Amino acid sequence: MVTENLKTVEEKIRQACERSMRERSEVTLIAVSKTKPVSMIREAMDSGIVTFGENKVQELLEKQSVLKEPLDWHMIGHLQRNKVRQVVGRVKRIHSVDSLRLAEQIQKDCEKQGLTADILIEVNIAGEETKFGLKPEETERVIREIATYPNVRVRGLMTIAPFVENPEENRVHFRNLHKLLVDINSKNIDNISMGELSMGMSGDYEVAIEEGATYVRVGTGIFGSRQYI
Ligand SMILES: *Cc1c(COP(=O)(O)O)cnc(C)c1O
């Protein structure tokens, strides 16, 4: 199943890149393996996938302890400050930095361990009550502060768009996140040059690619629906 699904997703990514005149190499597919067993991750690896996303520190560490192959892991879920020290140095990007306090903790734990963290700032671009993420209008201020942290590099912005029936409804949000990135980059803040946009999930990754996504996070579309007990 995973192999077949990946073929479909890859084809859709390719077509979305073509429609928007982007190179396929500009977009990285993150296979979101949360709640799914290592056997399914191995199936994806057999299809050439090396980039995986998890949303819980414990689950991430468990899977890393079993899978010794060199893989790119991405932390995409809400992160508590007391878990930061377990995750720094173990992931390629932390996508879900949604407060200055969290960034400050990442700086502290990185400094202690002699590491640098590459992070994305999570923005609640549609202003949903239930979602984590900074307000668009406070994002620049927070980034200016993080820019002074020696062990933290801001690589870009991330958002979780609303759950919608028609993915076109999210186009405006993806476009707005892209605009926010361009706008903040244009301020020439010292140490800030952001190139990454993590946006788009199983329901809307094609639209996200058309609007400039450099990371799409696809779970269900690859591994099937999740069961939470
Ligand atoms: C679970 C999750 C995804 C993947 O969602 P699907 O709809 O299954 O593709 C993407 N991003 C984040 C932050 C997630 O928690």
Side-chain angles (χ1 to χ4, degrees):
M1 182 188 76
V2 171
T3 311
E4 276 310 300
N5 287 347
L6 272 168
K7 271 195 195 142
T8 307
V9 170
E10 181 51 47
E11 181 55 23
K12 286 182 173 172
I13 292 175
R14 201 190 57 74
Q15 287 173 1
C17 285
E18 210 168 273
R19 280 196 298 279
S20 46
M21 297 196 295
R22 301 182 64 199
E23 296 290 330
R24 172 64 188 87
S25 57
E26 294 172 38
V27 181
T28 301
L29 169 63
I30 301 178
V32 177
S33 48
K34 64 188 188 195
T35 81
K36 298 296 180 183
V38 164
S39 59
M40 288 181 102
I41 297 181
R42 288 209 181 278
E43 219 182 314
M45 288 163 64
D46 288 341
S47 298
I49 300 292
V50 294
T51 309
F52 293 92
E54 290 285 340
N55 70 335
K56 293 207 163 68
V57 173
Q58 187 58 36
E59 190 175 344
L60 170 77
L61 298 181
E62 277 168 25
K63 285 173 176 170
Q64 285 185 336
S65 72
V66 182
L67 291 158
K68 295 296 180 201
E69 291 85 349
L71 299 171
D72 288 337
W73 293 96
H74 291 250
M75 179 63 198
I76 61 171
H78 182 65
L79 183 58
Q80 288 169 312
R81 283 181 296 143
N82 61 3
K83 302 261 173 75
V84 167
R85 77 189 141 75
Q86 295 174 272
V87 82
V88 290
R90 297 190 146 267
V91 293
K92 180 149 172 112
R93 299 280 185 273
I94 300 173
H95 289 235
S96 37
V97 178
D98 54 8
S99 71
L100 187 56
R101 290 178 82 203
L102 177 59
E104 201 182 346
Q105 189 68 49
I106 295 171
Q107 166 56 31
K108 275 185 193 154
D109 286 318
C110 278
E111 195 179 327
K112 254 186 228 159
Q113 300 182 41
L115 299 167
T116 305
D118 290 299
I119 67 163
L120 304 179
I121 303 300
E122 181 171 353
V123 181
N124 185 355
I125 197 72
E128 290 179 286
E129 291 275 323
T130 54
K131 290 247 164 87
F132 291 110
L134 296 174
K135 293 187 183 122
E137 60 269 26
E138 64 187 354
T139 303
E140 181 185 332
R141 179 180 59 78
V142 169
I143 286 177
R144 281 186 186 278
E145 197 61 40
I146 301 173
T148 66
Y149 296 175
N151 300 61
V152 178
R153 275 193 297 251
V154 182
R155 294 294 196 170
L157 304 178
M158 177 270 214
T159 199
I160 303 175
F163 184 79
V164 289
E165 284 296 324
N166 177 1
E168 284 297 329
E169 289 175 48
N170 278 338
R171 187 179 292 277
V172 64
H173 301 308
F174 296 142
R175 191 167 291 176
N176 284 341
L177 192 75
H178 193 170
K179 272 192 206 150
L180 185 63
L181 179 105
V182 170
D183 178 50
I184 296 175
N185 273 337
S186 75
K187 305 284 169 81
N188 291 319
I189 304 167
D190 271 354
N191 296 318
I192 296 296
S193 163
M194 304 187 293
E196 295 173 5
L197 279 174
S198 171
M199 57 189 194
M201 299 167 41
S202 291
D204 54 19
Y205 63 90
E206 295 165 85
V207 175
I209 290 170
E210 290 169 13
E211 296 301 330
T214 62
Y215 284 115
V216 289
R217 310 177 308 264
V218 180
T220 315
I222 296 172
F223 297 109
S225 59
R226 286 176 295 271
Q227 257 161 7
Y228 293 96
I229 314 149

